[in-house]
Amino acid sequence: MSNLPIPMTAEDFTPEWVTAALRSNGTLGDGSVTAVEATPVGEGAGFLGSLARLTLTYDRAGADAPATVVAKFPALVEVNRGLAVQYQVYQREARFFNEIKSTITAMPTPEAYYADVEEATGNGVILLEDLDGKLRVGDQLAGASAREAEQLMTQIADLHATWWGRAEEDTISWVPAFDGPVWAMTAQTLPSLWPTYQEERSHLLPPGMADIIERTWEGLIWLGQQLSRGPMTLVHGDYRMDNMFFPPSEGDPITIIDWQLMSRGRGPYDVAYFMSQSIDVELRREHERALVKRYHDGLLAGGVRDYSFDDCFEDYRLACLWCVMYPVAMGGGMAHNERAVQIAAEVSKRSFNTILDLDSVSVLPS
């Protein structure tokens, strides 16, 4: 940790602050940042934090000094920031870049020039490599194509296979598990957003869905326990299109950003999160089983043993039910601009239909 204060607004990224941050890890040598132009980016893409592109002017700088960086800092909306701190999301991502990123070869992610968290408040900041103009950002509203989904299943299987059964190793043992105290708070905090969702977005609820969601709230602790049965692995936690950058050439690795919800748990969690919220309903119905099979085949190719496809698919069904918390959270108070509201509605449709198609509620104990 450094002695730099955590910026709470884009205006807090002063030339002096950015100079000190870039010097802290050798990105910037003797030169100094003389001007910073901050431009908001990703409107509606981030619910737990703020994003700004910083265009930097130097008095002198080496060839490695970036012309622009993307700054991640605490959410401006108080309720979103409060949830982020409660769930340790700024701490998780800063520690990912400082402690875990170097161990991961199967999942491309941007370089971090600076990552820090303030222990007293839980607020954090990261300066990231700017991918604008290099790669195409995914679109949560448009959703993934079948080809994109296939590659994303292969990549997430590679990540999961790398950490399969190693969840207690020191490198990631601190990462919250789904049955631990951090995620256990969902049983209290998420249902509190449900009345607002019902009041403002009841038109999005298919027949019987309200009862399923209320049963899910009652079973959240149990679901977390099931998602934490061994063998656990490292899961990304926010595996969705807005967090994916696609290369110009099809088949090249897809770069994944945003590790704020990184957790330890059953691997199919990431598959369920992606499939139930980043793919059009009809496309998922057509390719669902084949995509989960592709993921399972990737686990086997990565050395995972004693984990059948049937077990994998059951974990997927269960995780889809857990993931209903996200559209309810977005639609129940965390969507604060037009695009976020649109995402909340689209993700609700996709998630609810997935749960109904799979009869996921039947996994709950009677």
Side-chain angles (χ1 to χ4, degrees):
M1 305 303 169
S2 75
N3 294 321
L4 291 176
I6 301 299
M8 300 300 290
T9 69
E11 291 72 25
D12 292 337
F13 291 95
T14 63
E16 294 77 15
W17 191 97
V18 178
T19 295
L22 294 180
R23 283 180 177 173
S24 68
N25 70 347
T27 300
L28 184 63
D30 294 334
S32 297
V33 176
T34 58
V36 178
E37 180 183 350
T39 307
V41 296
E43 182 182 16
F47 293 91
L48 296 174
S50 301
L51 293 170
R53 175 170 291 106
L54 309 182
T55 301
L56 308 178
T57 302
Y58 301 89
D59 57 0
R60 62 188 184 280
D64 293 335
T68 60
V69 298
V70 173
K72 295 190 70 173
F73 53 103
L76 300 177
V77 179
E78 185 176 356
V79 64
N80 296 42
R81 185 171 65 254
L83 281 172
V85 170
Q86 184 179 12
Y87 286 92
Q88 301 177 1
V89 300
Y90 305 136
Q91 181 186 72
R92 284 191 240 184
E93 187 161 41
R95 291 191 68 177
F96 166 80
F97 281 106
N98 288 332
E99 302 174 27
I100 298 177
K101 181 183 184 297
S102 62
T103 72
I104 294 175
T105 58
M107 186 69 70
T109 197
E111 291 300 319
Y113 302 111
Y114 181 81
D116 195 14
V117 64
E118 187 176 66
E119 294 293 346
T121 64
N123 291 319
V125 61
I126 302 175
L127 297 184
L128 289 169
E129 172 189 3
D130 187 2
L131 300 177
D132 185 52
K134 304 174 185 177
L135 304 172
R136 172 181 60 85
V137 65
D139 186 342
Q140 185 84 9
L141 287 171
S145 69
R147 293 292 294 274
E148 290 168 342
E150 288 173 355
Q151 183 166 347
L152 288 162
M153 290 301 99
T154 297
Q155 287 191 201
I156 200 64
D158 287 344
L159 173 69
H160 292 167
T162 298
W163 284 100
W164 196 267
R166 300 171 56 198
E168 301 306 321
E169 293 186 12
D170 289 345
T171 303
I172 67 168
S173 62
W174 59 270
V175 176
F178 288 113
D179 65 346
V182 172
W183 280 110
M185 291 185 292
T186 55
Q188 287 76 45
T189 58
L190 270 299
S192 69
L193 301 173
W194 175 228
T196 301
Y197 189 99
Q198 289 179 293
E199 180 179 345
E200 298 181 0
R201 314 201 192 281
S202 60
H203 61 284
L204 299 174
L205 293 165
M209 197 66 219
D211 290 340
I212 290 174
I213 291 173
E214 288 171 2
R215 286 189 61 190
T216 303
W217 297 151
E218 295 171 0
L220 274 178
I221 298 296
W222 181 87
L223 287 168
Q225 292 169 347
Q226 301 309 301
L227 287 171
S228 302
R229 290 176 293 119
M232 292 193 294
T233 187
L234 184 72
V235 300
H236 178 272
D238 200 8
Y239 203 59
R240 61 189 180 94
M241 285 294 284
D242 277 355
N243 290 333
M244 298 166 177
F245 282 76
F246 294 83
S249 300
E250 187 177 275
D252 286 348
I254 297 166
T255 297
I256 308 299
I257 66 168
D258 201 340
W259 296 79
Q260 290 183 333
L261 293 178
M262 173 182 62
S263 301
R264 291 180 301 147
R266 303 288 275 187
Y269 173 88
D270 278 333
V271 180
Y273 186 91
F274 176 79
M275 295 276 284
S276 68
Q277 304 191 22
S278 283
I279 299 183
D280 177 76
V281 172
E282 292 303 323
L283 190 67
R284 173 191 55 78
R285 286 171 175 163
E286 181 180 356
H287 297 279
E288 182 171 52
R289 202 163 186 88
L291 287 170
V292 179
K293 181 66 163 57
R294 186 182 185 93
Y295 166 76
H296 183 256
D297 287 346
L299 292 180
L300 299 182
V304 172
R305 298 292 180 266
D306 301 320
Y307 187 58
S308 70
F309 174 72
D310 288 343
D311 288 341
C312 180
F313 201 85
E314 282 305 297
D315 284 342
Y316 166 73
R317 289 180 64 227
L318 183 146
C320 285
L321 189 62
W322 167 282
C323 288
V324 77
M325 71 173 66
Y326 296 106
V328 171
M330 286 185 278
M334 294 185 68
H336 297 285
N337 57 61
E338 183 177 353
R339 186 171 188 274
V341 170
Q342 292 174 339
I343 290 175
E346 184 61 31
V347 168
S348 292
K349 181 181 74 172
R350 294 171 183 169
S351 175
F352 299 162
N353 276 280
T354 303
I355 289 167
L356 291 170
D357 289 346
L358 295 172
D359 189 25
S360 289
V361 71
S362 67
V363 305
L364 292 172
S366 55

